[in-house]
Amino acid sequence: MTNLKKWQIIKSELVFHNRWCQVRQDAVQLSSGQVIDDYFVNIRPEIVLVVPVTGDNQLVFVRQYRHGVKEILLEFPAGAVDAGEDNITAAARREFEEETGYQSDSLIPLAVLYDNPVKDTNRIHIFLALNAIPTGQQKLDVTEEIEVILRPLQEINPQEITVSGSLAAFYLARDFLKQN
């Protein structure tokens, strides 16, 4: 049993809205009675992230430039669930193929995690793609320049993966594969 209580929303207003970013300003009352009138929340779409494993136990990574941190990072293929896209597994399959040119007939849900629950509304839906095979070309968005990297599972140094969702996905996938 917990004594923690959810904050009470006094007022909520969308203060910024465009196709890439929405920000909501909430006025909230804490359980102590204190009121905070400028708590900003990023309204973000759900994210799908796929850990692809080939038949010979290689992981399929993507390396790409991330402008927010101005770095080129190693991560797993991932992307936003499009507005109106209700099937999370289908979204994962779509993003995986678009970013890598690979496919898998076996997508296994591993976990649903909060990305940044302090300020963001979205979750990351993590999938394992078994027996991933190359099937064609990448179908990248205009802002994407992605290099596909194959690495044997046993040679992965987790310290190379500095994107939190991809690192969590790596450990979840590794544990799943050890048990099955």
Side-chain angles (χ1 to χ4, degrees), residues 147-167:
E147 179 182 21
V148 177
I149 306 288
L150 288 138
R151 294 266 184 85
L153 176 61
Q154 28 325 350
E155 294 178 17
I156 301 299
N157 176 359
Q159 293 178 352
E160 291 179 85
I161 308 169
T162 57
V163 178
S164 60
S166 286
L167 185 59

Side-chain angles (χ1 to χ4, degrees), residues 7 23 30 39 53 73 75 82 85 88 98-100 110 119 134-135 150 156 158 168:
W7 296 353
V23 178
L30 311 181
Y39 198 92
V53 183
L73 302 173
E75 54 193 305
D82 291 340
E85 195 171 24
I88 298 293
E98 286 176 1
E99 289 196 356
T100 66
L110 293 180
K119 293 285 185 177
T135 59
L150 288 138
I156 301 299

Side-chain angles (χ1 to χ4, degrees), residues 1-174:
M1 187 88 185
T2 181
N3 293 326
L4 295 174
K5 295 180 182 173
K6 292 183 179 182
W7 296 353
Q8 296 300 309
I9 299 174
I10 299 167
K11 181 181 174 187
S12 187
E13 178 184 359
L14 192 62
V15 294
F16 184 80
H17 175 77
N18 80 12
R19 72 183 241 202
W20 300 110
C21 180
Q22 295 181 49
V23 178
R24 185 181 76 217
Q25 181 178 358
D26 291 346
V28 296
Q29 183 175 15
L30 311 181
S31 59
S32 67
Q34 181 178 354
V35 172
I36 299 173
D37 63 1
D38 61 350
Y39 198 92
F40 291 93
V41 176
N42 301 308
I43 301 170
R44 301 187 39 122
E46 297 290 285
I47 299 296
V48 290
L49 186 150
V50 178
V51 180
V53 183
T54 64
D56 61 350
N57 282 326
Q58 294 203 65
L59 297 182
V60 181
F61 286 94
V62 294
R63 189 178 357 238
Q64 60 188 314
Y65 175 73
R66 295 302 199 178
H67 187 67
V69 294
K70 298 179 184 75
E71 295 286 340
I72 296 171
L73 302 173
L74 182 70
E75 54 193 305
F76 289 114
V81 176
D82 291 340
E85 195 171 24
D86 296 329
N87 187 323
I88 298 293
T89 303
R93 187 171 274 115
R94 175 187 52 75
E95 278 292 335
F96 167 45
E97 184 176 2
E98 286 176 1
E99 289 196 356
T100 66
Y102 278 71
Q103 288 183 342
S104 170
D105 288 336
S106 178
L107 255 64
I108 301 165
L110 293 180
V112 179
L113 306 175
Y114 288 101
D115 189 21
N116 177 16
V118 174
K119 293 285 185 177
D120 294 349
T121 60
N122 67 324
R123 300 172 295 174
I124 302 175
H125 301 262
I126 299 174
F127 291 85
L128 176 65
L130 298 175
N131 299 313
I133 56 170
T135 59
Q137 297 288 324
Q138 294 168 300
K139 297 176 187 109
L140 302 176
D141 294 336
V142 68
T143 60
E144 293 178 316
E145 294 177 5
I146 295 175
E147 179 182 21
V148 177
I149 306 288
L150 288 138
R151 294 266 184 85
L153 176 61
Q154 28 325 350
E155 294 178 17
I156 301 299
N157 176 359
Q159 293 178 352
E160 291 179 85
I161 308 169
T162 57
V163 178
S164 60
S166 286
L167 185 59
F170 169 75
Y171 284 116
L172 288 164
R174 188 184 71 178

